[in-house]
Amino acid sequence: MKVLVTGGAGFIGGHVVDQLVGDGAEVVVLDSLVAHSEPPSHLPDAVDLRVADLRDPDAVAHASGDVDAVCHQAARVGLGVDLDDVADYVSDNDLGTAVLLRALWRRRFTGRLVVASSMVVYGEGRYRCPAHGVVTPGPRSGADLDAGRFEPPCPRCGAALSWDRVTEDAAPDPRNVYAATKLHTEQLAFVYGRETGAPVCALRYHNVYGPRMPRDTPYAGVASIFRSALAAGAAPRVFEDGGQVRDFVHAGDVARANVLALGSAWTGPVNVASGEPHTILEMATALCAAFGPDAPAPVVTGEYRLGDVRHVVASPERAAEVLGFEARTSFVAGMAEFAHAPLRR
Ligand code: UD1
């Protein structure tokens, strides 16, 4: 099998490439390398690396010309800085996906298409009210967060809610530019699938971490921020009260989910998660403990970022059912490795 991995020099794409090459696949990587300060040394020699922008129609047509399957990982990731980023996100993620799909259409590609999506398309997690069942709380107000009221209340009766696992049929509610472009990436890919009959799977990654994760930037997730702080001798700063729940899934597991998806014909969105939720404070504590006896302890600051989601926890059931995917790296083992794993500059 010959597979095109867009963004294959990146963090998650690189792990996908490692596993595909290990499985004996022929791999073409299309990557602009704009997020790299030095050429990636981790790519296996056997990989056919094409350094080009996804929005370059000729480069995309050449790279995808004779592949059997496409694994689309290239994207501008993270939360961004402010709305000044909007045109760059739309250009990289929406237009980049569109140029890829047009190239595939022009060669009448009906092979397997797997696209990287994110749990950010859900907006909020799933919550349950003791009186009203499953409810959708609105965004948390600055006044509530200032007062340390971090848990979103029931929108109907104001009662305390408990979190529940989000399933793929939850209504999408993208709340930032990145989330909107990820949902659009999925939608464009599904349109391609409907028009051509190509089986399309969108993998909704939860909080991915692991070796070669990019270091702390305005675009980085919390695992990288905490790990970079420790490397600099600083304590991880845990926002809110540290009780926010997430699902941290190891990049090697995410890569395996991609390989399983490439080998299946399931069409639709699938959560990719470890199934082992933890609070942000638990993650910070585990990482500090694994970093070594001299590591500073996490500091719970009570700060908040307006627009942050309180709890997002995936249901990993569909991934198990349709892809046969279950994460193999436990939280404890993954954090122990991540505490000393190399990060990308
Ligand atoms: C993150 C990603 C999102 C990605 C998703 C799934 C970012 C900014 N967000 O969403 O793009 O799709 O995972 O992989 O990359 N926090 C701290 N201290 C800090 C930074 C953050 O306590 O220094 C807290 C935040 O308040 C939040 C939690 O950690 O409660 C997670 O933050 P983060 O990883 O940035 O964003 P997610 O919403 O989980």
Side-chain angles (χ1 to χ4, degrees):
M1 183 168 72
K2 188 166 182 178
V3 186
L4 169 65
V5 183
T6 71
F11 168 44
I12 297 173
H15 285 273
V16 175
V17 168
D18 287 347
Q19 293 195 19
L20 285 172
V21 170
D23 289 350
E26 220 182 312
V27 177
V28 181
V29 164
L30 181 70
D31 199 304
S32 67
L33 301 184
V34 288
H36 297 252
S37 59
E38 54 208 344
S41 55
H42 58 81
L43 277 182
D45 290 340
V47 167
D48 176 1
L49 171 64
R50 315 281 180 98
V51 181
D53 194 293
L54 193 59
R55 294 162 298 179
D56 174 343
D58 291 336
V60 174
H62 284 124
S64 62
D66 61 349
V67 297
D68 307 300
V70 176
C71 186
H72 177 32
Q73 304 292 321
R76 179 181 287 261
V77 298
L79 209 53
V81 180
D82 54 35
L83 265 181
D84 213 51
D85 282 334
V86 62
D88 291 333
Y89 271 99
V90 170
S91 182
D92 284 344
N93 298 356
D94 291 11
L95 182 59
T97 300
V99 171
L100 171 66
L101 295 177
R102 184 179 59 187
L104 296 176
W105 161 250
R106 285 182 173 169
R107 58 155 287 210
R108 301 295 184 262
F109 173 84
T110 56
R112 184 57 160 154
L113 175 59
V114 175
V115 299
S117 183
S118 166
M119 57 81 163
V120 289
V121 302
Y122 296 123
E124 259 295 351
R126 194 167 195 253
Y127 297 87
R128 197 173 280 281
C129 169
H132 298 105
V134 173
V135 291
T136 308
R140 297 176 296 168
S141 72
D144 278 347
L145 294 164
D146 281 334
R149 288 188 293 271
F150 299 120
E151 294 291 339
C154 173
R156 293 178 63 186
C157 66
L161 302 174
S162 53
W163 59 263
D164 204 350
R165 291 172 189 264
V166 188
T167 52
E168 291 82 350
D169 54 12
D173 181 15
R175 291 184 180 182
N176 58 50
V177 170
Y178 169 65
T181 64
K182 274 288 142 180
L183 183 59
H184 201 207
T185 296
E186 284 192 9
Q187 290 168 330
L188 291 173
F190 288 133
V191 168
Y192 185 89
R194 274 195 298 278
E195 299 263 335
T196 63
V200 176
C201 181
L203 296 178
R204 293 179 174 165
Y205 304 156
H206 283 249
N207 293 65
V208 187
Y209 71 98
R212 305 197 301 254
M213 192 172 187
R215 278 190 201 169
D216 186 0
T217 70
Y219 305 91
V222 67
S224 158
I225 292 173
F226 287 176
R227 170 67 174 73
S228 303
L230 284 170
R237 296 177 64 79
V238 177
F239 297 161
E240 305 185 18
D241 58 0
Q244 314 90 296
V245 182
R246 293 291 189 278
D247 184 311
F248 292 94
V249 57
H250 191 274
D253 280 323
V254 175
R256 207 161 41 77
N258 273 276
V259 172
L260 288 167
L262 285 165
S264 102
W266 163 263
T267 285
V270 179
N271 286 332
V272 177
S274 72
E276 202 190 332
H278 284 278
T279 66
I280 298 299
L281 181 56
E282 285 166 354
M283 193 275 280
T285 305
L287 201 56
C288 290
F291 195 75
D294 298 331
V299 178
V300 179
T301 68
E303 293 164 273
Y304 62 84
R305 297 186 306 200
L306 205 60
D308 260 347
V309 171
R310 177 65 178 172
H311 309 296
V312 197
V313 177
S315 164
E317 275 172 33
R318 180 181 284 179
E321 203 177 300
V322 302
L323 302 181
F325 170 75
E326 268 177 41
R328 289 181 184 160
T329 305
S330 72
F331 177 76
V332 170
M335 289 300 158
E337 176 209 44
F338 186 56
H340 299 284
L343 301 187
R344 191 175 87 212
R345 279 173 191 282

